[in-house]
Amino acid sequence: MNQHAIQNLTLFDLLARSWRRPSAIADLRFSTDDSTVAFTCMDGTVAIAAVADQESPESRIRVSGDLGQTTIRPREKLPAPLIATAALGDGDIPLASYLRSSFLVGTAAGEAVHLTADGSVMETLVKIDGPIVAIDHSRQPAMTAVSNGQDVFLSRGHGDAVRLRHGAAPSTDALAFSPGGRRLAYGLEDGLSIWNVESDATLISVISFSARPVSIRWSGDGTWLACGLETGGFALVSVTDGRADLVERFPSPVRTVCWSLPENALFTSGAFRIAGWSMTAPPLRGDASGALETGRAGLVPVETVAAHPEKKLIAAGYTDGRITIAQIGARDELLVRPLGGEIAALAWSGDGRHLAVGSVDGTAAIVTFPAQMFK
């Protein structure tokens, strides 16, 4: 590699292991123990990567003896290939972390199957009529929730799935357990249904929105819910007292929402910069006093966001393929990747050392940051 090429390398080129899949990446998950990442693709397959890096960034860092300048040399070898499954569905298939290093996948045959780190399809935990379009698993109570687009089913361990109903309103493809698994929220055509699932499942509340939820995220303490809506921004719900409000007037749909535990803050995609609010002053009834101006405003909307689990940092992916990491409440940004395929999914590992990336051009990647980068 000549000197000119080395100078043109981006941070993504130096820190990331990337692969190209034959179809768009739809979603991704780290395993519970952070040893693997699973990428779901629009062709119905799942691709699995090991997080361990044989050429870690730390092993390629050099500090010059005279000037003390730190550099990182490019990788010398291609990363180990992904492990890919056969098609398990007709398009984007739902995915959840399971056990320590495995995953649960919802199939077109209505089965929630155990997918191991080596790509093997093992036992079926849940079987329902119709294709599974949404899935979540709560490890502590060993409960699995699935939806076929009309009904939501709850299964404990390997037990039979119990249907949850509320009137005739169909459920959608968004559902999520609260931290600890005491409650389950799932989307309706124009709202949200919240259930207590500790013992016998009981309905807590039904909340109406102006549009269909496309994503549901609980706050770390389980007291708030944020829902990205198909149109019209996002909804914020206080589980403790039932307060709910819509935050609207976004220039593009809010596909993703995330919670920062270190900052006690909420962040969303859908704006021309990273949109965020401190939950000491939640954005209810038009209150903007808790707004956190994070990162730089631009001309391209943020497509997805992910909050660092330990530091006051937010990763953002844009429709033009740019990836940045911003300090919460500051304009400072680290440009990880300047351009590429539209970012479809981002997620941090539990220890905050790795950022998994999925793009609509089929790029799957794991960016590993040296420990000294985020002090």
Side-chain angles (χ1 to χ4, degrees):
M1 183 178 292
N2 61 42
Q3 188 65 31
H4 179 72
I6 292 175
Q7 290 176 349
N8 289 336
L9 290 176
T10 68
L11 198 59
F12 187 83
D13 296 325
L14 291 171
L15 301 183
R17 285 168 291 152
S18 63
W19 304 264
R20 183 62 69 89
R21 298 292 298 145
S23 69
I25 304 299
D27 201 1
L28 57 88
R29 290 287 188 282
F30 277 92
S31 61
T32 302
D33 64 1
D34 284 344
S35 65
T36 53
V37 181
F39 301 88
T40 62
C41 307
M42 291 303 296
D43 61 3
T45 63
V46 181
I48 300 173
V51 172
D53 187 356
Q54 299 304 312
E55 284 191 278
S56 67
E58 282 89 351
S59 70
R60 294 181 281 116
I61 289 175
R62 297 293 182 267
V63 180
S64 63
D66 50 352
L67 299 177
Q69 184 178 11
T70 300
T71 58
I72 181 168
R73 66 170 174 81
R75 295 179 181 275
E76 296 179 350
K77 300 177 182 178
L78 292 174
L82 296 172
I83 298 171
T85 70
L88 300 170
D90 299 325
D92 175 20
I93 56 176
L95 176 72
S97 301
Y98 180 59
L99 301 178
R100 289 186 54 78
S101 59
S102 299
F103 303 92
L104 282 183
V105 177
T107 72
E111 297 177 336
V113 298
H114 173 194
L115 181 66
T116 64
D118 64 3
S120 300
V121 177
M122 306 297 284
E123 75 274 15
T124 297
L125 268 71
V126 181
K127 179 71 171 75
I128 64 172
D129 293 330
I132 293 178
V133 300
I135 190 170
D136 197 16
H137 179 77
S138 183
R139 184 182 181 189
Q140 293 175 351
M143 284 192 295
T144 303
V146 298
S147 169
N148 60 8
Q150 293 295 318
D151 295 305
V152 171
F153 300 83
L154 184 67
S155 174
R156 302 175 190 274
H158 288 69
D160 293 337
V162 176
R163 180 185 283 109
L164 304 181
R165 285 186 180 275
H166 179 72
S171 62
T172 65
D173 55 358
L175 55 80
F177 283 107
S178 65
R182 296 176 56 194
R183 292 170 176 169
L184 174 70
Y186 62 81
L188 306 173
E189 191 62 32
D190 55 357
L192 188 71
S193 186
I194 305 174
W195 291 68
N196 186 325
V197 292
E198 279 190 283
S199 52
D200 293 335
T202 56
L203 179 65
I204 297 175
S205 62
V206 174
I207 300 164
S208 296
F209 301 149
S210 59
R212 181 176 72 96
V214 295
S215 61
I216 299 173
R217 295 291 182 272
W218 292 82
S219 62
D221 60 5
T223 61
W224 291 92
L225 276 165
C227 303
L229 302 179
E230 191 171 41
T231 59
F234 73 95
L236 184 61
V237 178
S238 170
V239 181
T240 54
D241 57 18
R243 288 181 297 161
D245 201 8
L246 302 183
V247 181
E248 302 177 293
R249 291 180 290 186
F250 279 75
S252 66
V254 177
R255 287 187 60 250
T256 59
V257 294
C258 68
W259 297 90
S260 169
L261 292 178
E263 189 66 16
N264 185 28
L266 168 68
F267 293 86
T268 78
S269 64
F272 291 114
R273 74 184 310 158
I274 301 169
W277 297 264
S278 169
M279 292 307 289
T280 58
L284 297 171
R285 308 295 182 261
D287 184 0
S289 62
L292 297 168
E293 292 190 2
T294 300
R296 296 185 177 92
L299 301 176
V300 178
V302 176
E303 187 68 11
T304 184
V305 289
H308 194 283
E310 297 177 352
K311 300 183 183 296
K312 298 179 180 180
L313 300 171
I314 299 292
Y318 293 76
T319 54
D320 63 358
R322 183 162 48 108
I323 302 170
T324 63
I325 297 175
Q327 185 175 350
I328 293 175
R331 297 185 68 235
D332 295 339
E333 284 185 343
L334 176 69
L335 180 62
V336 177
R337 190 174 81 162
L339 287 171
E342 178 182 323
I343 304 301
L346 290 175
W348 291 97
S349 59
D351 60 6
R353 291 204 55 223
H354 311 277
L355 180 69
V357 179
S359 300
V360 298
D361 66 358
T363 298
I366 303 174
V367 187
T368 299
F369 296 97
Q372 58 266 45
M373 183 164 284
F374 302 133
K375 294 183 178 178

